[in-house]
Amino acid sequence: FFQKTLTAVKSWFTLFGWSKGQNPISVPHSLRRDVCIVQLTVAQEKDFKLTVDRDKGFYEMLLHLNGQPIPGIAASQSLPPNPVDRMFQLHWQHSELLSFLRSQGASLSHVMPEFLLAPEDYKIWTEVNTGLRKGSMRSSGKLSGTPIFILEHRTFETMSKRAWTDVLLQIFKVLVLPRVSSRTAPDPSSLESLHNMPGIKSEPLSSNVYSRYERTVLIWLNKQYEKNRKIVWKDSQRGGIPPTRWIVNFDQDLLDGLVLAAQVAAYCPYLIPTHFIKMYTNPKTHEQLLHNSLVLVKALHSINLDVDVKV
């Protein structure tokens, strides 16, 4: 499940996260690399500079999605050549990033800024905070009262990948989903069948699972499905018109593909006779669920929807 989530996250941010076209990313490697323009000192005591396209940096992506820079952090960063100073500045930047996202409603209390560091910087961070790096401790760097987690390399890489994935998911949640407007949805009074369905409240405190904007999407899914199910499958030969349903989540209620097909059909009705009419409207087996998924994926491919959709 985590790997599928990671694949979906990378696909979306690769395709839509940047102001000037696609930019392939890897999690966490390219994100850790592209947070800034870095001046590093390697073991051979040679200096080199890692230059990053100013339009492809991590904070340029945030600028594009947020509409304005993160307070206190410029889109292009230059780090000091001293390894300890570099680590402290990166740790501060990550702390500011997490604080900003949390202030926007992101659920990131489990992500610590050190997990967003590169392995070599994380090693320095542990040495400084445990006193192993003599002459490097400074009061502004150590977080008093904060537990210090000393992770071996493989465990740290796993934790870093999960932390960066959660950061991207929450960036999407607080910077992209708020663009969804409920004003584009049809008036429920025009749909008589919706009167007998339980409603989904969009107030901020009505759910401890989904944000207000995620619930707006759920409301839209309910309205569109109820409006279109009798249109899409009126001539169905594989179960007839599907029954009314209450869509309250993004996993179980979307498994059979019917809800998503109803949304696509609302904008591409010509796919109904060529694809969606072939779907099982009351699937009972795993094979029928897979069949519906394949039909939906083929429909998306047929309209050249530029997303890496796989079953």
Side-chain angles (χ1 to χ4, degrees), residues 12 39 76 138 180 234 240 246 270 295:
W12 192 91
Q39 182 87 21
S76 298
R138 63 186 190 186
V180 175
K234 64 179 181 179
W246 191 28
Y270 51 84
V295 170

Side-chain angles (χ1 to χ4, degrees), residues 59-115:
Y59 287 103
E60 285 289 348
M61 180 190 74
L62 284 179
L63 174 61
H64 169 62
L65 296 178
N66 187 44
Q68 55 186 349
I70 304 300
I73 302 178
S76 298
Q77 295 288 318
S78 295
L79 297 183
N82 180 275
V84 176
D85 292 337
R86 181 187 71 239
M87 178 275 295
F88 276 121
Q89 182 170 329
L90 280 173
H91 192 278
W92 173 81
Q93 285 182 199
H94 295 328
S95 298
E96 292 297 305
L97 169 65
L98 294 174
S99 296
F100 168 76
L101 293 175
R102 285 194 291 265
S103 72
Q104 303 301 306
S107 301
L108 289 170
S109 59
H110 62 293
V111 176
M112 297 183 178
E114 53 267 26
F115 295 152

